[in-house]
């Protein structure tokens, strides 16, 4: 056996490894051929000689050779032995740089990882019930549960959602108009890609949900931002031809205004004149702690130009990844077919589980319990926050949602809110920087404090700790 | 109370309905205001009079009025009573047509619903084990299972996939290069949208998987089709600057060729010259019933210009909706951030369940069992098919995958394969029309028969039944 093979086969095979010896030998030879250490046409050692050299059985060598022959790396010539194939294209065998067919424009800076502020009281989630239903969904499984399903989502879940939203939010919709998605971001992306003409402008609230601003980035549509006032978003001023205005009338994100009826009707009037749709992002409307919620914009409009988006991320838990989109009937076909093309259909088992959770009354009970718990936590939070942090922040009165807005007091030399958010994290407080919700409008400094996912007895301690950390930081 | 209200309130409220009386009253008034049956400024009946007229308590009327006042539909004037608000914008109150901001180009014709051909033996799926793990995933749930998770997917699942694919397919990848998706269609769509420059051409095999052709339809990239021969897809001829070529080297879809090494190396050489990526769609590589699979194109290339896509749709079940994409390291960041923007992150519980299923050895056991069962069913299928349908079809020899290709015999006057597929469905046979896999190339007529999801004792009966149906149809 020549020196080329002596080099190639030292230090030899690993008899202790999990990988079978014939596969080790194959990998060694394959690699050597691809890296041209064994050139095309090179004759391989006879099987008996190689078996002796490597101290393995001849059958092992035979198996490796045969496999590489089948793959085309090696070839036999009648009576002459085994050779590295002559007709492997040369260029493919060389080490090379990656393709240039890759987008290389710079990515926008990534936000620092911080605890999220918009969490419900996760300690109240009935994990035991969920676990029981989860096992049951599978114990009784029929074959249909394994197969292709409706790209619009599981029909009984869509029916349960229609019934719930009609009662809770005055939403007017048949199950046929509902499409189950993985949440607001997929809802929005599917909608914009399939339904809204690419030359129509998509308009977002400013300030508004930063996740929405990320979601528009890869769309072909022109995008612009539009300001809000105390009543929520203002009807956009003329400019471009609008296709979709994204609004949060129940509770403006991040500032928390509930949009009064008059403004709702003005927006509908604007949409009608403009020929634009409104996307009503009703992201946490379940959580109103005083009074009754105002009916959805979709219900006022009768579902003609308002598309309604909701999810179970806030009312159950974020990792469930089930949301929905309610669209006018003439939009359904286009949207569902686009979903089928780019995401097939949503996983079925969690949809069945959630349907049973709703139908057996667990969902309503859970929401009622959360409302009571959140209300109590909000009240404790506001008192403690005023006491410990009132010198640094103006806390905005809140009676809905999952976060409290705290504006930085102008006179105080506080660090930027992005830094404050990280400091709050050290005190185990989820607090998003307010400034990240601003796009073109002048950013205000502040924090969006999550209050709902902290046990009552912890709230005061954590706010006190944040106050201590801030006083170290600022000298006050 | 004037006539306007008499008309409005007949036939009255429904005391048997689930909806509380005060909400029924609200809805009635709200609708009348929006439809202008009650004009702005109109004075409402006094609460006592209305309560008497409707035979309900005065408090119910008060509650309804107060709610509508809070919403802005009604207003009170000191000492004068309750009125329909004067300042509701007029135009919003009229019934109108929907917005024009909706794409109106015609949708491509929708394929008829037929049984799918590419199914594994679902009767072999260990539902009991899956049910047990499913309950366990939730019984031991920690809070992290409810929270935001990695947009690339659950890390232990990515690690389990990396380990499995290295052993089974010679795939070279760290868990960091793996992104969990909902399957090939999402994998492809995310990749094309975020990574491949929009001016680069996407090239698909012809014939090829129709789902892939649907998935490109909404992309901004130029698209072209490229022919195949006996060795699979040919290196594309020049034309446009290519960005991505989608290939199935393990088993060409639909024709089933396994690509030999020489062609693999030629494709890699083409990709290198062109600066293009290859997307290796390894959709059912687990199912080879003779010999050992050839290593993946990704492994030969070392993961430089080959992106690897796989899923658990065929090896476990379609409704699981878990697949993965394995990309070169420099691509990861862009892809994961796009996923985060348009689909947040994948639902966590099925990922945990699947990880445990793999780690505890159930997955390998299941695949081994399926291989044995499929092999047996394939053999029975081929014998019976030849016997009953040999006069109508040429059955192509198969030793991989989940379907058998049957070309329509030229001399026979068979209906088009789209019709044949529906006839096969009547005999409870999943058989996709071959012609639907062709795009620009001249379509061949035939059926792709699923053989794996039919109990052994049923195979002969169903084929016999199809033969009977065909002889009714064709007179042979």
């Amino acid at each position: 056996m020549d020196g080329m093979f002596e080099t190639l086969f030292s230090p030899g095979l690993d008899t202790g490894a999990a990988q079978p010896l014939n596969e080790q030998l194959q990998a060694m030879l394959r690699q050597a051929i691809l890296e041209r250490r064994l050139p095309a046409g090179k004759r391989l050692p006879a099987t008996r000689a190689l078996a002796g050299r490597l101290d393995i059985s001849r059958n092992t060598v035979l198996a490796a050779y045969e496999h590489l022959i089948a793959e085309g790396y090696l070839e036999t010539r009648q009576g002459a032995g085994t050779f590295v194939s002559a007709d492997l294209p040369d260029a493919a065998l060389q080490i090379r740089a990656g393709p240039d067919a890759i987008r290389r424009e710079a990515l926008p800076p990534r936000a620092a990882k911080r605890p999220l502020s918009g969490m419900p009281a996760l300690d109240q989630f009935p994990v035991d019930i969920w676990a029981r239903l989860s096992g049951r969904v599978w114990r009784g499984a029929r074959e249909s549960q394994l197969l292709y399903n409706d790209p619009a989502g599981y029909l009984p879940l869509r029916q349960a959602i229609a019934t719930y939203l009609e009662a809770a939010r005055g939403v007017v919709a048949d199950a046929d108009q509902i499409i189950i998605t993985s949440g607001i971001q997929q809802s929005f992306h599917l909608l914009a890609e399939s339904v809204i003409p690419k030359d129509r402008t998509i308009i977002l609230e400013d300030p508004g949900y930063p996740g929405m601003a990320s979601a528009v980035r890869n769309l072909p549509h022109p995008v612009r931002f539009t300001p809000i006032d105390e009543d929520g978003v203002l009807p956009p001023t003329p400019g471009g031809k609008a296709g979709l205005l994204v609004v949060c009338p129940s509770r403006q994100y991040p500032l928390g205004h509930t949009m009064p009826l008059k403004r709702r009707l003005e927006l509908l009037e604007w949409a009608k004149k403009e020929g634009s749709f409104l996307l009503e992002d009703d992201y946490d409307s379940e959580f109103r702690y005083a009074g009754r919620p105002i009916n959805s914009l979709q219900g006022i409009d009768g579902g003609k130009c308002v598309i309604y988006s909701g999810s179970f991320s806030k009312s159950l838990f974020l990792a469930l990844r089930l949301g929905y989109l309610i669209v006018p009937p003439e939009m359904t076909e286009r949207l569902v077919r686009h979903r089928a093309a780019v995401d097939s259909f949503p996983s079925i088992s969690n949809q069945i589980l959630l349907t049973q959770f709703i139908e057996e009354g667990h969902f309503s009970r859970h929401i009622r319990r959360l409302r009571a718990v959140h209300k109590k936590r909000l009240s404790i939070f506001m008192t403690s926050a005023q006491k410990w942090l009132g010198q640094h922040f103006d806390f905005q009165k809140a009676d809905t949602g999952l976060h409290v807005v705290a504006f930085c007091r102008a006179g105080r030399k506080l660090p930027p809110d992005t830094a404050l958010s990280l400091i709050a994290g050290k005190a185990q407080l989820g607090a998003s920087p307010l400034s990240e919700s601003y796009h073109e409008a002048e950013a205000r400094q502040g924090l969006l404090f999550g209050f709902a996912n902290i046990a009552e007895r912890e709230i005061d301690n954590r706010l006190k700790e944040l106050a201590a950390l801030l006083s170290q930081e600022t000298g006050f």
Side-chain angles (χ1 to χ4, degrees), chain A residues 135-155:
Chain A
R136 196 174 74 186
V137 161
W138 279 107
R139 274 194 305 279
R142 280 166 301 183
E143 202 192 52
S144 64
Q145 205 165 314
L146 304 174
L147 294 175
Y148 186 78
N149 221 286
D150 194 328
Y154 182 57
L155 182 60

Side-chain angles (χ1 to χ4, degrees), chain A residues 163-216:
Chain A
T163 306
Y164 166 70
L165 289 177
E166 188 188 342
R169 308 290 300 115
V171 166
V172 182
D174 281 341
D176 285 349
Q177 293 167 251
I178 302 188
I179 291 131
I180 305 294
T181 68
S182 71
I184 174 66
Q185 279 166 294
Q186 191 184 37
S187 291
F188 173 69
H189 198 70
L190 289 176
L191 179 71
E193 279 206 326
S194 65
V195 176
I196 308 300
K198 295 190 199 320
D199 57 350
R200 292 290 196 107
T201 303
I202 293 175
I203 309 181
L204 304 182
E205 295 176 313
D206 192 4
Y209 177 49
M212 198 59 80
S214 309
V216 296

Side-chain angles (χ1 to χ4, degrees), chain A residues 247-357:
Chain A
V247 290
C248 304
S250 287
R251 175 169 156 79
Q252 204 277 336
Y253 187 94
L255 296 181
H257 311 301
T258 298
M259 188 182 289
L261 183 69
K262 181 157 182 280
R263 177 64 55 85
R264 292 178 190 229
L265 295 173
E266 285 165 1
L267 282 183
L268 289 172
E269 188 180 350
W270 170 85
K272 184 200 164 192
K273 278 200 186 135
E274 186 77 15
S276 173
F277 288 95
L278 299 172
L279 176 61
E280 177 174 24
D281 177 10
D282 216 22
Y283 64 104
D284 68 358
S285 62
E286 287 85 2
F287 303 121
R288 169 165 291 274
Y289 313 118
R292 267 180 58 94
I294 294 187
N295 269 359
S296 65
L297 197 55
Q298 198 269 2
I300 296 172
D301 168 55
K304 285 191 215 69
C305 66
V306 178
I307 298 154
Y308 182 92
S309 159
S311 96
F312 295 93
S313 293
K314 305 280 186 191
S315 55
L316 292 173
F317 59 95
L318 192 58
L320 179 58
R321 313 302 314 135
L322 285 174
Y324 46 86
L325 205 50
I326 303 183
V327 302
E330 70 271 20
M331 213 180 257
T332 318
E333 172 82 1
R334 189 171 290 274
L335 194 50
V336 171
R337 286 172 68 170
H338 181 64
R339 192 301 159 61
V342 306
D343 182 40
S344 210
F345 66 99
S347 175
I348 197 76
S349 55
N350 276 337
Q351 293 187 76
I352 299 177
L353 203 169
L354 176 55
T355 308
Q356 298 183 355
F357 191 83

Side-chain angles (χ1 to χ4, degrees), chain A residues 351-369:
Chain A
Q351 293 187 76
I352 299 177
L353 203 169
L354 176 55
T355 308
Q356 298 183 355
F357 191 83
I358 296 172
E359 284 175 351
E360 294 178 14
H362 304 299
F363 182 69
S364 322
R365 265 193 295 282
H366 181 54
I367 295 293
R368 281 199 299 273
R369 187 167 48 226

